Amino acid sequence: MSDRLHRARAALKSVFGYDDFRPGQAEIIAAVLAGEDVLAVMPTGSGKSMCYQLPALIDETLTVVVSPLIALMRDQVRQMTAFGVPAATLNSMATEEEALEAWRLLRSGDLRLLFVSPERLMTDGLTARLRELGARRLAIDEAHCVSQWGHDFRPEYREIARVRAALGDVQTLALTATADAATRADVIERLFPKPPRVFLHSFDRPNISLRFAAKDQPKRQLSNFLAGYKDESGIVYCSSRKRTETLAAYFKEHGFRALPYHAGLDQRLRTRHQDVFLQEDGVVMVATVAFGMGINKPDVRFVCHADMPANVEGYYQEIGRAGRDGLPADTLTLYGLDDMALRRRQIAEKDISDERRRIEQKKLDAMIGLCEAPSCRRQALLAYFGEASGPCGHCDVCAGKVATYDATVDAQKALSAIARTGQRFGAGYIADVLGGRETDAIRRNGHHIIKTFGVGRDRSQRVWRSLIRQLFAAGAIEETGGEYPGLRLTGKGEAILFGRETVALRPETDRRPREKRPEPAAGAFGDLDARGQELFHHLRALRGAIARDEGVAAYMIFPDRTLIEMASLRPVDLAALRLIHGVGERKLKGYGALFVKAIGEFLGGAG
Ligand code: ADP
Ligand code: ZN
């Protein structure tokens, strides 16, 4: 290990209180300290930011951090300040005071991290000033935003190469949690004059468990899930603004602390909801995807999708907001035929090039495939990112809930019903025809006398709907256009109907899955004994009180993992406390005495 890497590791402990590098960090930090340009592709929560934070501290120079997340820069600055790292932000939402403070720090030469939005960086000669003031390194967060192939293209990012040149071709470090091969190549080409060192870290997040379920009674399904995580923080993603509000209201009625969040909410209310979620424990944020990119809260214990995500990158990034602290985290994704059709329509209606449309279409197909995956979810997810792996053993499919059967005959019944009714009706109508239900509409259309009417009487509506959804996912049927879109056969559907192809699907049982009472979740602190858990809750309350006093997020005082270690090891003096995960010098000085005292009293109180 080089001398400087040794110093980085010492600072990791003394400043941040962490004992060791996480996988991948040491190599990247060594390369950064050696002056190399770097592209680091690592999953959310793997500690990418540390790869520019530590070098800035060791070199005692200024790093300019470009990020699209203006709303969260203040949060990042606070977080760094809590660790005693001089940081500031310049962006359009910063207050005058914040800007003055940033300039004061910049001029003093003490500043280590300056968080800037790309548009701000381009304005009124800022780069020239930063160059004079000694900016030595450029760190580009969410670097996939530079690429059209990514799922989150930001045109402003295209200007960053110019900024780099204007800063005097400074060393550049690009970071992202999502980049398939095409996006990666594009990022390299657009941000670096010559190829950087590329570090590709496994996308696996083994502490996050993966679960999917077909939408049945979504509100019930979700509140049953939430009931297993009382007092924990989590996010429920929805596909529309309205739905965030109705769901949040429903959860509230059912005794959860739920808050809506979407881009249409009044700015002040939105910020307040975000602050409550960040600062307090046990809040469920019911949000559109507008919420979360760059949310640093490490103790999010679950992420649900009330509606099917638009693509696998988005899904991965959203569930990735759970369990950044490495402790167990849970996910549940609901999906339905409506979601699939809606997403297809959205893509069809977008004002984009045909090439782009094809890309989005393929991304959507991959997402649908993941929902209907007949084998290990994690394997499918990692394969999407080009990573080979074995079955994980603990996703819902591995856990043995899902098998497949040769569904060719059933599929032919459904496809035939679609064909014989003229390829223009929706899933509900087709299921009625199969089930032999003489509705008004069916009689009016004379469909009660066609050959397929009632051939599926032996199965419930629910089974047929599932089968139709799976056929849709398998690309055997598609939606017609028009105001009242129905279903029609694709080439593949015809091949199945005429016996040229077979199809394996997942059986859907006739009975509704019995509403199981959710097992109480073990939570992240499940390994503690009863007394340890009591102490943990006690320390969490203390942390909450300090956080409210100081107006900062609870996790910025200490993360859960630190409290869990305290509750387990029960340090009663500062020397012992210093050895705990997450206790650096600054925090030891700031909060050490309070926590040691609380632990002492707790132990004493027990007699
Ligand atoms: P990313 O940017 O990759 O999503 P972050 O940089 O936000 O992840 O890191 C996630 C959390 O992990 C942060 O709270 C950070 O302080 C913490 N962390 C980073 N490096 C380490 C480490 N070596 N040991 C323990 N925790 C770490
Ligand atoms: Zn699995």
Side-chain angles (χ1 to χ4, degrees):
M1 216 189 263
S2 75
D3 178 46
R4 295 168 85 214
L5 191 57
H6 267 299
R7 280 171 47 211
R9 194 168 154 171
L12 183 69
K13 181 64 197 164
S14 65
V15 177
F16 296 95
Y18 304 145
D19 286 329
D20 213 339
F21 291 120
R22 289 223 183 115
Q25 283 180 330
E27 297 89 313
I28 297 172
I29 290 170
V32 173
L33 288 172
E36 293 184 73
D37 281 348
V38 163
L39 167 64
V41 184
M42 292 165 88
T44 307
S46 55
K48 286 187 291 300
S49 324
M50 200 56 90
C51 301
Y52 61 76
Q53 290 162 0
L54 278 177
L57 286 173
I58 300 304
D59 289 348
E60 303 187 343
T61 54
L62 173 62
T63 293
V64 176
V65 186
V66 187
S67 154
L69 312 164
I70 299 180
L72 295 158
M73 288 184 179
R74 186 172 294 154
D75 196 55
Q76 289 173 297
V77 168
R78 273 196 203 134
Q79 205 177 0
M80 284 302 102
T81 311
F83 284 116
V85 178
T89 173
L90 287 175
N91 67 65
S92 55
M93 274 166 65
T95 62
E96 194 169 331
E97 256 162 70
E98 282 170 313
L100 283 173
E101 174 65 4
W103 283 107
R104 192 189 63 74
L105 281 165
L106 269 170
R107 279 190 296 266
S108 74
D110 291 335
L111 194 65
R112 295 292 166 260
L113 300 173
L114 179 68
F115 295 89
V116 196
S117 58
E119 356 7 309
R120 179 68 181 88
L121 204 47
M122 253 75 80
T123 52
D124 52 35
L126 181 60
T127 41
R129 285 289 285 145
L130 292 176
R131 186 175 179 171
E132 280 165 29
L133 290 165
R136 286 284 171 276
R137 203 174 274 133
L138 188 61
I140 303 160
D141 213 355
E142 314 288 352
H144 60 276
C145 290
V146 78
S147 171
Q148 272 221 70
W149 309 132
H151 54 103
D152 213 0
F153 175 53
R154 308 279 171 119
E156 322 82 83
Y157 260 59
R158 285 287 161 88
E159 303 299 317
I160 293 179
R162 264 195 329 128
V163 166
R164 174 202 165 111
L167 280 175
D169 258 331
V170 287
Q171 182 188 7
T172 301
L173 170 60
L175 307 157
T176 175
T178 51
D180 52 26
T183 310
R184 211 151 58 225
D186 208 23
V187 169
I188 291 173
E189 192 187 313
R190 295 188 182 274
L191 292 179
F192 298 93
K194 57 181 195 324
R197 278 280 295 279
V198 178
F199 295 89
L200 257 181
H201 194 279
S202 167
F203 277 84
D204 194 12
R205 302 276 311 274
N207 62 314
I208 301 182
S209 45
L210 308 177
R211 269 201 262 172
F212 288 70
K215 265 188 206 177
D216 180 19
Q217 293 178 300
K219 286 181 175 169
R220 277 272 287 288
Q221 286 169 294
L222 290 167
S223 57
N224 279 347
F225 178 94
L226 296 192
Y229 292 93
K230 271 264 158 90
D231 302 328
E232 301 285 3
S233 310
I235 308 172
V236 177
Y237 282 110
C238 305
S239 64
S240 75
R241 294 174 176 184
K242 179 143 187 291
R243 198 150 147 79
T244 65
E245 298 192 6
T246 47
L247 265 183
Y250 177 87
F251 293 150
K252 226 178 277 170
E253 258 168 49
H254 286 74
F256 301 98
R257 276 193 77 198
L259 298 171
Y261 185 101
H262 59 74
L265 278 187
D266 172 67
Q267 172 70 36
R268 283 216 305 277
L269 191 62
R270 199 164 24 147
T271 309
R272 201 174 76 222
H273 287 182
Q274 177 173 308
D275 287 346
V276 170
F277 177 76
L278 290 177
Q279 297 183 7
E280 299 182 24
D281 296 317
V283 177
V284 182
M285 196 66 131
V286 188
T288 60
V289 292
F291 180 71
M293 218 226 271
I295 289 278
N296 285 324
K297 189 174 170 64
D299 56 1
V300 175
R301 288 272 71 80
F302 62 86
V303 170
C304 295
H305 284 92
D307 305 294
M308 188 184 75
N311 53 51
V312 180
E313 283 97 336
Y315 165 75
Y316 180 79
Q317 204 162 61
E318 282 139 28
I319 62 164
R321 288 173 192 138
R324 277 180 180 231
D325 50 13
L327 298 171
D330 207 353
T331 69
L332 173 65
T333 304
L334 299 184
Y335 63 96
L337 184 58
D338 289 352
D339 292 329
M340 298 176 184
L342 172 74
R343 297 292 189 193
R344 280 220 201 291
R345 246 186 345 264
Q346 285 171 341
I347 295 173
E349 283 163 8
K350 267 191 198 171
D351 182 21
I352 45 177
S353 70
D354 284 351
E355 187 182 19
R356 179 76 212 168
R357 203 183 314 280
R358 260 197 311 281
I359 294 170
E360 296 207 0
Q361 197 62 59
K362 258 178 61 188
K363 285 177 187 285
L364 173 61
D365 288 342
M367 186 66 229
I368 293 175
L370 186 61
C371 291
E372 301 282 9
S375 58
C376 176
R377 308 261 189 212
R378 194 177 308 267
Q379 207 173 11
L381 182 60
L382 293 177
Y384 181 82
F385 293 111
E387 228 178 291
S389 67
C392 75
H394 55 270
C395 68
D396 53 353
V397 181
C398 284
K401 305 293 180 331
V402 192
T404 62
Y405 74 112
D406 180 349
T408 309
V409 174
D410 286 343
Q412 285 169 336
K413 289 180 187 169
L415 293 169
S416 156
I418 292 170
R420 283 171 191 277
T421 52
Q423 316 219 41
R424 59 197 166 92
F425 295 97
Y429 188 94
I430 299 299
D432 282 342
V433 170
L434 287 161
R437 304 215 320 204
E438 279 200 49
T439 63
D440 290 347
I442 287 179
R443 246 200 314 277
R444 209 174 329 116
N445 294 322
H447 288 153
H448 57 304
I449 50 171
I450 62 171
K451 208 172 131 200
T452 343
F453 184 76
V455 293
R457 243 187 216 112
D458 54 329
R459 310 284 186 71
S460 70
Q461 180 93 351
R462 177 189 159 81
V463 169
W464 288 115
R465 274 177 171 275
S466 157
L467 190 113
I468 292 167
R469 195 180 57 237
Q470 293 189 61
L471 287 173
F472 188 86
I477 48 182
E478 63 188 7
E479 248 198 357
T480 60
E483 201 178 339
Y484 303 105
L487 297 170
R488 67 172 167 233
L489 274 55
T490 61
K492 181 172 178 168
E494 286 175 8
I496 296 169
L497 179 59
F498 298 116
R500 295 194 302 270
E501 254 185 58
T502 61
V503 61
L505 298 175
R506 302 152 54 141
E508 178 80 37
T509 52
D510 279 312
R511 269 182 312 121
R512 237 168 231 294
R514 212 154 37 82
E515 291 298 346
K516 282 182 300 231
R517 279 190 66 79
E519 288 171 26
F525 45 90
D527 288 341
L528 292 171
D529 60 22
R531 198 152 156 61
Q533 293 199 14
E534 198 186 325
L535 177 53
F536 173 74
H537 286 295
H538 194 68
L539 296 176
R540 192 136 97 160
L542 171 61
R543 177 179 72 176
I546 300 173
R548 269 190 301 281
D549 259 12
E550 299 194 356
V552 299
Y555 69 84
M556 287 189 197
I557 311 285
F558 285 126
D560 277 358
R561 174 143 170 230
T562 302
L563 300 192
I564 292 168
E565 275 196 33
M566 285 184 195
S568 156
L569 301 174
R570 301 168 199 174
V572 288
D573 56 37
L574 292 178
L577 189 68
R578 172 183 263 126
L579 301 177
I580 301 264
H581 168 95
V583 185
E585 294 304 326
R586 171 68 62 106
K587 292 193 181 177
L588 187 72
K589 221 189 282 157
Y591 312 116
L594 283 171
F595 280 83
V596 163
K597 180 158 165 269
I599 295 169
E601 282 170 5
F602 179 86
L603 295 175

Coordinates of all heavy atoms in Angstrom, one line a residue, residues 424-478:
R424 N -59.7 -6.6 -31.0 CA -59.9 -5.2 -30.6 C -60.4 -5.0 -29.1 O -60.7 -3.9 -28.7 CB -60.8 -4.5 -31.5 CG -62.2 -5.1 -31.6 CD -62.9 -4.6 -32.9 NE -64.1 -5.5 -33.2 CZ -65.3 -5.2 -32.7 NH1 -65.5 -4.2 -32.0 NH2 -66.3 -6.0 -33.0
F425 N -60.4 -6.1 -28.3 CA -60.9 -5.9 -27.0 C -59.8 -6.1 -26.0 O -58.8 -6.6 -26.3 CB -62.0 -7.0 -26.7 CG -63.2 -6.7 -27.5 CD1 -63.4 -7.4 -28.7 CD2 -64.2 -5.8 -27.2 CE1 -64.5 -7.2 -29.5 CE2 -65.3 -5.6 -27.9 CZ -65.5 -6.3 -29.1
G426 N -60.1 -5.6 -24.8 CA -59.1 -5.6 -23.7 C -59.1 -6.9 -22.9 O -59.9 -7.8 -23.2
A427 N -58.2 -7.0 -21.9 CA -58.0 -8.3 -21.2 C -59.2 -8.7 -20.5 O -59.6 -9.9 -20.4 CB -56.8 -8.1 -20.2
G428 N -60.0 -7.7 -19.9 CA -61.2 -8.1 -19.1 C -62.2 -8.7 -20.0 O -62.8 -9.8 -19.6
Y429 N -62.4 -8.2 -21.1 CA -63.4 -8.7 -22.1 C -63.1 -10.1 -22.5 O -63.9 -11.0 -22.5 CB -63.5 -7.7 -23.3 CG -64.7 -8.0 -24.2 CD1 -65.9 -7.4 -24.1 CD2 -64.5 -9.0 -25.3 CE1 -66.9 -7.7 -25.0 CE2 -65.5 -9.2 -26.2 CZ -66.7 -8.6 -26.0 OH -67.8 -8.8 -26.9
I430 N -61.8 -10.3 -22.9 CA -61.3 -11.6 -23.3 C -61.5 -12.6 -22.2 O -61.9 -13.8 -22.5 CB -59.8 -11.5 -23.8 CG1 -59.7 -10.5 -24.9 CG2 -59.3 -12.9 -24.2 CD1 -60.5 -10.8 -26.2
A431 N -61.2 -12.2 -21.0 CA -61.3 -13.2 -19.9 C -62.8 -13.5 -19.7 O -63.1 -14.7 -19.4 CB -60.7 -12.6 -18.6
D432 N -63.7 -12.6 -19.9 CA -65.1 -12.9 -19.8 C -65.6 -13.9 -20.9 O -66.3 -14.8 -20.6 CB -65.9 -11.6 -20.0 CG -65.9 -10.8 -18.7 OD1 -65.6 -11.3 -17.6 OD2 -66.3 -9.6 -18.8
V433 N -65.1 -13.7 -22.1 CA -65.4 -14.6 -23.2 C -64.9 -16.0 -22.9 O -65.6 -17.0 -23.0 CB -64.8 -14.1 -24.6 CG1 -64.9 -15.2 -25.6 CG2 -65.4 -12.8 -25.0
L434 N -63.7 -16.1 -22.4 CA -63.1 -17.4 -22.1 C -63.9 -18.1 -21.0 O -64.2 -19.3 -21.0 CB -61.6 -17.3 -21.6 CG -60.7 -17.0 -22.8 CD1 -59.4 -16.4 -22.2 CD2 -60.4 -18.2 -23.6
G435 N -64.3 -17.2 -20.0 CA -65.0 -17.8 -18.8 C -66.5 -18.0 -19.1 O -67.2 -18.6 -18.3
G436 N -66.9 -17.6 -20.3 CA -68.3 -17.9 -20.7 C -69.3 -17.0 -19.9 O -70.4 -17.4 -19.5
R437 N -68.9 -15.7 -19.7 CA -69.8 -14.8 -19.0 C -70.6 -14.0 -20.0 O -70.0 -13.2 -20.7 CB -69.0 -13.9 -18.0 CG -68.1 -14.8 -17.1 CD -68.0 -14.2 -15.7 NE -67.8 -12.7 -15.7 CZ -67.1 -12.1 -14.7 NH1 -66.7 -12.8 -13.7 NH2 -67.0 -10.8 -14.7
E438 N -71.9 -14.2 -19.9 CA -72.7 -13.4 -20.9 C -73.0 -12.0 -20.5 O -74.1 -11.7 -20.0 CB -74.0 -14.2 -21.1 CG -73.9 -15.3 -22.1 CD -75.3 -15.7 -22.6 OE1 -76.0 -14.8 -23.1 OE2 -75.6 -16.9 -22.6
T439 N -72.0 -11.2 -20.6 CA -72.3 -9.8 -20.3 C -73.1 -9.1 -21.4 O -73.2 -9.6 -22.5 CB -70.9 -9.0 -20.1 OG1 -70.3 -9.0 -21.4 CG2 -70.0 -9.7 -19.1
D440 N -73.6 -7.9 -21.1 CA -74.3 -7.2 -22.1 C -73.5 -7.0 -23.3 O -74.0 -7.2 -24.5 CB -74.8 -5.8 -21.6 CG -75.9 -6.0 -20.5 OD1 -76.4 -7.1 -20.4 OD2 -76.1 -5.0 -19.8
A441 N -72.3 -6.5 -23.1 CA -71.4 -6.2 -24.2 C -71.2 -7.5 -25.1 O -71.2 -7.4 -26.3 CB -70.1 -5.7 -23.7
I442 N -70.9 -8.6 -24.4 CA -70.7 -9.8 -25.2 C -71.9 -10.2 -26.0 O -71.8 -10.6 -27.2 CB -70.2 -10.9 -24.2 CG1 -68.8 -10.6 -23.7 CG2 -70.3 -12.3 -24.9 CD1 -68.2 -11.6 -22.8
R443 N -73.1 -10.1 -25.4 CA -74.3 -10.4 -26.2 C -74.5 -9.5 -27.3 O -74.8 -9.9 -28.5 CB -75.5 -10.4 -25.2 CG -76.1 -11.9 -25.1 CD -77.5 -11.8 -24.6 NE -77.7 -10.9 -23.5 CZ -77.4 -11.1 -22.2 NH1 -77.0 -12.3 -21.9 NH2 -77.6 -10.2 -21.3
R444 N -74.3 -8.2 -27.1 CA -74.5 -7.2 -28.1 C -73.6 -7.5 -29.3 O -73.9 -7.4 -30.5 CB -74.1 -5.8 -27.5 CG -74.9 -4.7 -28.2 CD -74.7 -3.3 -27.5 NE -74.4 -3.4 -26.1 CZ -73.3 -3.0 -25.5 NH1 -72.3 -2.6 -26.3 NH2 -73.1 -3.0 -24.3
N445 N -72.3 -7.9 -29.0 CA -71.4 -8.2 -30.1 C -71.5 -9.6 -30.7 O -70.8 -10.0 -31.6 CB -69.9 -8.1 -29.6 CG -69.6 -6.6 -29.2 OD1 -70.1 -5.7 -29.9 ND2 -68.9 -6.4 -28.1
G446 N -72.5 -10.4 -30.1 CA -72.7 -11.7 -30.6 C -71.5 -12.7 -30.3 O -71.4 -13.7 -30.9
H447 N -70.7 -12.3 -29.3 CA -69.6 -13.2 -29.0 C -69.9 -14.3 -28.0 O -69.0 -15.1 -27.7 CB -68.5 -12.3 -28.4 CG -67.8 -11.4 -29.4 ND1 -67.2 -10.2 -29.1 CD2 -67.7 -11.5 -30.7 CE1 -66.8 -9.6 -30.2 NE2 -67.1 -10.4 -31.2
H448 N -71.2 -14.4 -27.7 CA -71.6 -15.6 -26.8 C -71.9 -16.8 -27.7 O -72.2 -17.9 -27.2 CB -72.8 -15.2 -26.0 CG -74.0 -14.8 -26.8 ND1 -74.0 -13.7 -27.7 CD2 -75.3 -15.3 -26.9 CE1 -75.1 -13.6 -28.3 NE2 -75.9 -14.5 -27.8
I449 N -71.8 -16.6 -29.0 CA -72.0 -17.8 -29.8 C -70.8 -18.2 -30.6 O -70.8 -19.2 -31.4 CB -73.2 -17.5 -30.9 CG1 -72.9 -16.2 -31.6 CG2 -74.5 -17.5 -30.2 CD1 -73.9 -16.0 -32.7
I450 N -69.6 -17.5 -30.3 CA -68.4 -18.0 -31.0 C -67.9 -19.2 -30.4 O -68.2 -19.5 -29.2 CB -67.3 -16.9 -31.1 CG1 -66.9 -16.5 -29.7 CG2 -67.8 -15.7 -31.9 CD1 -65.7 -15.6 -29.7
K451 N -67.0 -19.9 -31.1 CA -66.5 -21.2 -30.7 C -65.7 -21.2 -29.3 O -65.8 -22.1 -28.5 CB -65.6 -21.8 -31.8 CG -65.6 -23.3 -31.8 CD -64.9 -23.8 -33.0 CE -63.8 -24.8 -32.7 NZ -62.8 -25.0 -33.7
T452 N -65.0 -20.1 -29.2 CA -64.1 -20.0 -28.0 C -64.9 -19.6 -26.7 O -64.4 -19.7 -25.6 CB -63.1 -18.9 -28.2 OG1 -63.0 -18.6 -29.6 CG2 -61.7 -19.3 -27.7
F453 N -66.2 -19.2 -26.9 CA -67.0 -18.7 -25.7 C -67.1 -19.8 -24.7 O -67.6 -20.9 -25.0 CB -68.4 -18.3 -26.2 CG -69.2 -17.7 -25.0 CD1 -68.9 -16.4 -24.6 CD2 -70.2 -18.4 -24.4 CE1 -69.6 -15.8 -23.5 CE2 -70.9 -17.9 -23.4 CZ -70.6 -16.6 -22.9
G454 N -66.5 -19.6 -23.5 CA -66.7 -20.5 -22.4 C -65.7 -21.7 -22.4 O -65.8 -22.5 -21.5
V455 N -64.7 -21.6 -23.3 CA -63.7 -22.8 -23.3 C -62.9 -22.8 -22.0 O -62.2 -23.7 -21.7 CB -62.8 -22.8 -24.5 CG1 -63.6 -23.1 -25.8 CG2 -62.0 -21.5 -24.6
G456 N -62.9 -21.6 -21.3 CA -62.0 -21.5 -20.2 C -62.8 -21.5 -18.9 O -62.4 -20.9 -17.9
R457 N -64.0 -22.1 -18.9 CA -64.9 -22.1 -17.8 C -64.4 -22.7 -16.5 O -64.7 -22.3 -15.4 CB -66.2 -22.8 -18.1 CG -67.4 -21.8 -18.1 CD -68.7 -22.5 -18.3 NE -69.6 -21.7 -19.1 CZ -70.0 -21.9 -20.3 NH1 -69.6 -23.1 -20.9 NH2 -70.7 -21.1 -21.0
D458 N -63.4 -23.6 -16.7 CA -62.9 -24.3 -15.6 C -61.9 -23.4 -14.8 O -61.4 -23.8 -13.7 CB -62.1 -25.6 -16.1 CG -61.1 -25.2 -17.2 OD1 -61.4 -24.3 -18.0 OD2 -60.1 -25.9 -17.3
R459 N -61.6 -22.3 -15.3 CA -60.7 -21.4 -14.6 C -61.3 -20.1 -14.3 O -62.2 -19.6 -14.9 CB -59.4 -21.1 -15.4 CG -58.8 -22.3 -16.0 CD -58.0 -23.0 -15.0 NE -57.2 -24.1 -15.5 CZ -56.1 -23.9 -16.3 NH1 -55.7 -22.7 -16.6 NH2 -55.5 -24.9 -16.8
S460 N -60.7 -19.4 -13.3 CA -61.3 -18.1 -12.9 C -60.8 -17.0 -13.8 O -59.8 -17.1 -14.5 CB -60.9 -17.8 -11.4 OG -59.6 -17.5 -11.4
Q461 N -61.5 -15.9 -13.7 CA -61.1 -14.7 -14.4 C -59.7 -14.3 -14.1 O -58.9 -13.8 -15.0 CB -62.1 -13.6 -13.9 CG -61.9 -12.2 -14.5 CD -62.8 -12.1 -15.7 OE1 -63.5 -13.0 -16.2 NE2 -62.9 -10.9 -16.2
R462 N -59.4 -14.5 -12.9 CA -58.1 -14.1 -12.4 C -56.9 -14.9 -13.1 O -55.9 -14.3 -13.5 CB -58.1 -14.4 -10.9 CG -56.9 -14.2 -10.1 CD -57.1 -14.8 -8.7 NE -55.9 -15.1 -8.1 CZ -55.1 -14.2 -7.5 NH1 -55.6 -12.9 -7.4 NH2 -54.0 -14.5 -7.0
V463 N -57.2 -16.2 -13.3 CA -56.2 -17.0 -14.0 C -56.0 -16.5 -15.4 O -54.9 -16.4 -15.9 CB -56.7 -18.5 -14.0 CG1 -55.8 -19.3 -14.9 CG2 -56.6 -19.0 -12.6
W464 N -57.2 -16.2 -16.1 CA -57.1 -15.8 -17.5 C -56.4 -14.4 -17.6 O -55.6 -14.2 -18.5 CB -58.4 -15.8 -18.2 CG -58.9 -17.2 -18.4 CD1 -60.0 -17.8 -17.8 CD2 -58.3 -18.2 -19.2 NE1 -60.0 -19.2 -18.2 CE2 -59.0 -19.4 -19.1 CE3 -57.1 -18.2 -20.0 CZ2 -58.7 -20.6 -19.8 CZ3 -56.8 -19.4 -20.7 CH2 -57.5 -20.5 -20.6
R465 N -56.7 -13.6 -16.7 CA -56.0 -12.3 -16.7 C -54.5 -12.4 -16.6 O -53.7 -11.8 -17.3 CB -56.5 -11.4 -15.6 CG -57.8 -10.6 -16.0 CD -58.2 -9.8 -14.8 NE -59.3 -8.9 -15.2 CZ -59.1 -7.7 -15.7 NH1 -57.9 -7.2 -15.9 NH2 -60.2 -6.9 -16.0
S466 N -54.1 -13.3 -15.7 CA -52.7 -13.5 -15.5 C -52.0 -14.1 -16.7 O -51.0 -13.6 -17.2 CB -52.5 -14.5 -14.3 OG -51.2 -15.1 -14.4
L467 N -52.7 -15.0 -17.3 CA -52.2 -15.6 -18.6 C -52.1 -14.6 -19.7 O -51.1 -14.5 -20.4 CB -53.1 -16.8 -19.0 CG -52.6 -17.6 -20.1 CD1 -52.3 -19.0 -19.5 CD2 -53.4 -17.7 -21.3
I468 N -53.1 -13.7 -19.8 CA -53.0 -12.7 -20.8 C -51.9 -11.8 -20.6 O -51.1 -11.4 -21.5 CB -54.4 -12.0 -20.9 CG1 -55.5 -12.9 -21.4 CG2 -54.3 -10.7 -21.8 CD1 -56.9 -12.4 -21.3
R469 N -51.7 -11.4 -19.3 CA -50.6 -10.5 -18.9 C -49.2 -11.1 -19.3 O -48.3 -10.5 -19.8 CB -50.7 -10.2 -17.4 CG -49.8 -9.0 -17.0 CD -50.0 -8.8 -15.5 NE -49.6 -10.0 -14.8 CZ -50.4 -10.6 -13.9 NH1 -51.6 -10.2 -13.7 NH2 -50.0 -11.7 -13.3
Q470 N -49.1 -12.4 -19.0 CA -47.9 -13.1 -19.3 C -47.6 -13.2 -20.8 O -46.5 -13.1 -21.3 CB -47.8 -14.5 -18.6 CG -47.8 -14.4 -17.1 CD -47.6 -15.8 -16.5 OE1 -46.5 -16.4 -16.8 NE2 -48.5 -16.2 -15.7
L471 N -48.7 -13.4 -21.6 CA -48.6 -13.5 -23.0 C -48.1 -12.1 -23.6 O -47.3 -12.0 -24.5 CB -49.9 -13.9 -23.7 CG -50.3 -15.4 -23.5 CD1 -51.7 -15.6 -24.1 CD2 -49.2 -16.2 -24.2
F472 N -48.6 -11.1 -22.9 CA -48.2 -9.7 -23.3 C -46.7 -9.5 -23.0 O -46.0 -9.1 -23.8 CB -49.1 -8.7 -22.5 CG -48.9 -7.3 -22.9 CD1 -49.7 -6.8 -23.9 CD2 -48.0 -6.5 -22.2 CE1 -49.5 -5.4 -24.3 CE2 -47.9 -5.1 -22.6 CZ -48.6 -4.6 -23.6
A473 N -46.4 -10.0 -21.8 CA -44.9 -9.8 -21.4 C -44.0 -10.7 -22.3 O -42.9 -10.3 -22.6 CB -44.8 -10.3 -20.0
A474 N -44.6 -11.8 -22.8 CA -43.8 -12.7 -23.6 C -43.7 -12.2 -25.1 O -43.1 -12.8 -26.0 CB -44.3 -14.1 -23.6
G475 N -44.5 -11.1 -25.4 CA -44.5 -10.5 -26.7 C -45.4 -11.3 -27.7 O -45.3 -11.2 -28.9
A476 N -46.4 -12.1 -27.2 CA -47.3 -12.8 -28.1 C -48.5 -12.0 -28.4 O -49.1 -12.2 -29.4 CB -47.7 -14.1 -27.4
I477 N -48.8 -11.0 -27.6 CA -49.9 -10.0 -28.0 C -49.4 -8.6 -27.7 O -48.4 -8.4 -27.0 CB -51.1 -10.3 -27.1 CG1 -50.8 -10.4 -25.6 CG2 -51.9 -11.5 -27.6 CD1 -52.1 -10.7 -24.8
E478 N -50.0 -7.7 -28.4 CA -49.7 -6.3 -28.2 C -50.9 -5.4 -28.2 O -52.0 -6.0 -28.4 CB -48.7 -5.8 -29.3 CG -49.4 -5.9 -30.7 CD -48.4 -5.6 -31.8 OE1 -47.2 -5.5 -31.6 OE2 -48.9 -5.5 -33.0

